[in-house]
Amino acid sequence: MSNTRTRGQHRPIPFLTVLVTTIALVAASCSGGGRSSSSSPGSGSTSTKGGIVDASNCPGSETEGVSGTTIKLGTSLPQSGLYSAFTEILKGESAYFSYLNQELGGVEVDGKKYTIDLVAKDDAYQADRTVANVTALVNDDKVFALFNVVGTKNNLAIRDFVNRQCVPNLFAATGSPAWGDVKYPWVLGSELVPYPLEAKALFDYLEKNSPSAKVAILRASDDFGRAYSETFRSLIKGSKITIAKEETYNPEQSDTKSQVTSLAATNADVLLLGATLLACPDALQNVKASGWKPMTYMSGTCTSKTLMALAGDAADGVMSVTDIMEPGLAAWADEPAMKLYLDKIAKYAPDADAENGIVAYGWTTGALLAETLHRSPSLTRQAVMETARTLKASDVGLLMPGVTLSVSAKDWFLGEMFSLAQYRTALGHFELVGSVLDFSGHTAKITPPDLIGG
Amino acid sequence: MDLNLFFSQLLNGLSSGAIYASLALAIVLIFRTTGILNFAQGEMALFSTYVTWWLADQGLSIGLAIAISVAVSFVGGAVIERVVIRPFEKASPLVIVIATLGLFLALNSLTQVVFGTDAKQLGSAFPDTVWDVWGLRIEAQTIGILVVLGLECVALWVLFQRTRIGLALRAVADNPEASRLLGVRVGTMLMFGWGLSAALGSLAGAMVVPTTQALTASSLQSVLVFAFAAAALGGFDSPLGAVVAGLIVGIARALTIQYIEPLNNIELVVPFAIILVVLLVKPAGLFGSTQVERV
């Protein structure tokens, strides 16, 4: 044994220590998608007396973020990483605000016109970064309100903070049922269909067309995915529909192969896909490769032809829901709202694909915000939040004809009218199935209570 | 038990395991020639994969893009050895480990600066054909990945056992001082080892991205964890160990998803439990050589 070799004998020990530490660190950072705790008292300073939103104990100025004729808003969303395709939301909403500011002279609130200045920060879909971004937006950028912050766990992570600070968190880009928790009046979900209602729409569809269906569930292992599976499980009680198997995937990786193989072996009639973004096409492709041919229902957050194009043939026939007009679908080509959208996206967001449903969602949410500000009797945080909480709106942005968004003191969910839609690969679009469904006021009733109140 | 299902999951495990094995091979290669655990291995592969993506995005076919990227990576790996690692030649191994950790961060940031932070799509080098063999669905993708791993093994074996350069590489790994005295260009050999290892990483990257739909700055990080796990399990100085252990880790993961319901989504526990047990019983890993000290 040579000298060098003998010295080398001691090497593995520090190496292994470093290795184990590193693995532990990386593993810890990869599994950060757990359920955010909402057990803290949260809403010490706000209660619901008088109006829905009480601002009597709020810190800071009621008109923070409004200076001269500008309203400063903040958003946090993934612009990098695995979920960076959600950046398209920002392109859509920014295009709307450019159009509003430059062509309409801004939004009129209480007789005065204001332009909108949107500050966007990247959180890579990681909740801890969302917290840092939102803290900076509120404390340093001094925004008037938060707008369209993306992600269920991300919005859960900031809701105690925005509640304490009384910063409106308007139109959070998530359909989580958690936004129905009355302890948190300062957060309101967007026009996205609440996830429990998607489960309800699928349940109703199956009751009608396949009443003894065996359903397999593939979902993200976080609050987003839980909303689908738990609501669906609660809905099927007393029916002949059964759950064949449920598998979860790690939302940090969007690799679903082994999970799909496991579900395919059950040969269930239906696959419920509580997944988002790249996991959708990935699961669809894996289903196709497995030879399994279930009727697949996929989260409304995946209704983007861009995502479906990744899945190719495997996406044909997949069902979902939508409440906005899909750009490029012939049926909407003559709608004035659609013509305006296509025209302005070409002008203000030339690098965006106007036919991507994610861009259309951003545009529509931008229009919804402008409508809310316009209807507010005055430009204070409390007045705007109160207006949002009693909103009834149709013909906003690309909302489908016949869809009304409505919330009230008793109903905290906006996107309760929508249509089933089915993707056609040959067409490259989602075709609507049946007419607009009206579930106004139903979300809270059909959702297991623990999904709403933490 | 449904045998077909078992074999399907086995195939899933083999295909992800083969990718872990590729990167584990790269780690072992550097450890054998230089005695360094290269924590930047995953990020070197990441950068290479972005190069592959960029070439494919310029209109090159995937196969050609991968081939060029492998060549570029070889040169890049050699340059990294000369510029980043060589200056610490005489330093303690811990210093070099820190240097590779620095390289990890630097390469990750560089990738984001050069190629942007949005997720990229990279097509597969293999067709999406699926064969039905007695009811078992076998994807061309899976076979392709396994064939690539097989070719890597054969090429490395031939290189190390049947060529003069391989002999020199082994000599340098075994005893650099004596090799230098015998006229082997130790520096060149070390650069060659790093280049080879970077080229293997490039292949691993090109295989893994199509299975996860997108290429992002964190694409290779979980693969690196599995690859290190495989290298530890197989023995840090054993290429055969890296391959076998990579496949074991992949299979353990797939079978856990299928058969151990309570571990749903924490399926990583099983491969790591296996590793812990093996390392307790056999600290050098399954195939690692036990080092004996003469007292």
Side-chain angles (χ1 to χ4, degrees), chain A residues 1 4-6 8-9 15-16 18-19 22-23 26 79-82 84 221 245-250 253-254 257-259 261-262 265 278 282 285 288-291 310, chain B residues 5 8-9 12 35 37 39 93 97 117-119 121 130 137 139 174-175 211-214 216 222 225 228 232 236 253-254 257-258 261 264-265 272 289 291-294:
Chain A
M1 189 77 3
T4 354
R5 220 33 199 283
T6 317
Q9 180 213 10
F15 278 145
L16 279 180
V18 174
L19 173 66
T22 309
I23 287 173
V26 177
Q79 292 173 270
S80 62
L82 201 53
S84 58
S221 60
K245 193 164 192 186
E246 175 171 336
E247 288 283 357
T248 60
Y249 72 92
N250 179 350
Q253 287 168 6
S254 77
K257 187 155 203 73
S258 291
Q259 288 86 340
T261 303
S262 167
L278 296 166
D282 189 61
Q285 280 181 335
K288 181 169 183 251
S290 74
L310 292 177
Chain B
L5 175 59
S8 300
Q9 291 292 18
N12 289 342
L37 275 191
F39 284 93
V97 166
T117 53
D118 53 323
Q121 311 299 328
V130 180
R137 315 264 307 176
E139 290 177 53
D174 200 45
N175 193 332
T211 68
T212 59
Q213 299 290 333
T216 70
S222 62
V225 172
F228 262 114
F236 277 107
R253 178 169 172 256
I257 290 174
Q258 176 65 50
E261 209 123 320
N264 236 338
N265 207 53
F272 282 104
S289 49
Q291 289 165 358
V292 185
E293 190 176 3
R294 189 185 297 152

Side-chain angles (χ1 to χ4, degrees), chain A residues 126-414:
Chain A
Q126 290 163 8
D128 55 337
R129 288 180 63 181
T130 314
V131 171
N133 287 348
V134 164
T135 311
L137 285 167
V138 171
N139 291 339
D140 305 335
D141 296 297
K142 306 218 180 287
V143 297
F144 177 74
L146 297 167
F147 169 62
N148 218 4
V149 174
V150 173
T152 298
K153 60 176 184 278
N154 313 69
N155 279 285
L156 282 174
I158 60 170
R159 70 175 176 172
D160 280 322
F161 175 74
V162 298
N163 225 36
R164 272 198 309 276
Q165 299 290 321
C166 303
V167 178
N169 182 8
L170 285 176
F171 311 124
T174 133
S176 166
W179 318 138
D181 188 341
V182 294
K183 292 198 300 293
Y184 298 94
W186 291 92
V187 54
L188 179 64
S190 74
E191 76 273 22
L192 275 176
V193 179
Y195 306 142
L197 281 187
E198 292 195 54
K200 169 73 172 155
L202 172 64
F203 173 72
D204 287 356
Y205 180 86
L206 294 178
E207 279 280 85
K208 200 168 150 202
N209 298 293
S210 174
S212 53
K214 273 200 312 175
V215 181
I217 301 175
L218 174 63
R219 65 166 181 92
S221 60
D222 56 13
D223 289 282
F224 162 76
R226 272 180 66 219
Y228 287 94
S229 65
E230 290 189 18
T231 315
F232 192 75
R233 280 176 183 277
S234 123
L235 286 169
I236 60 170
K237 280 178 193 147
S239 79
K240 290 204 176 91
I241 297 172
T242 51
I243 305 288
K245 193 164 192 186
E246 175 171 336
E247 288 283 357
T248 60
Y249 72 92
N250 179 350
E252 305 289 332
Q253 287 168 6
S254 77
D255 171 12
T256 62
K257 187 155 203 73
S258 291
Q259 288 86 340
V260 169
T261 303
S262 167
L263 296 175
T266 68
N267 203 23
D269 312 302
V270 177
L271 169 63
L272 167 55
L273 209 49
T276 193
L277 220 62
L278 296 166
C280 287
D282 189 61
L284 292 173
Q285 280 181 335
N286 289 334
V287 167
K288 181 169 183 251
S290 74
W292 179 30
K293 292 187 174 64
M295 176 229 142
T296 301
Y297 178 87
M298 168 190 80
S299 163
T301 60
C302 287
T303 50
S304 150
K305 63 167 245 170
T306 317
L307 289 176
M308 293 304 98
L310 292 177
D313 283 350
D316 197 39
V318 64
M319 303 265 292
S320 194
V321 291
T322 182
D323 57 6
I324 60 180
M325 298 186 275
E326 197 201 353
L329 193 65
W332 308 124
D334 293 329
E335 292 285 334
M338 184 57 75
K339 287 181 171 165
L340 178 75
Y341 163 80
L342 293 172
D343 187 37
K344 300 309 166 195
I345 291 295
K347 184 167 175 189
Y348 296 109
D351 64 327
D353 175 7
E355 290 201 0
N356 185 343
I358 299 177
V359 180
Y361 163 79
W363 168 272
T364 303
T365 317
L368 186 62
L369 181 83
E371 182 69 22
T372 308
L373 289 171
H374 177 61
R375 290 191 194 183
S376 183
S378 63
L379 196 51
T380 66
R381 282 173 167 173
Q382 198 262 350
V384 169
M385 201 63 222
E386 189 77 27
T387 307
R389 285 232 156 270
T390 50
L391 198 65
K392 274 192 181 28
S394 48
D395 291 322
V396 173
L398 292 178
L399 282 185
M400 285 197 307
V403 167
T404 302
L405 303 177
S406 72
V407 277
S408 66
K410 287 188 178 146
D411 172 17
W412 284 32
F413 297 98
L414 265 183

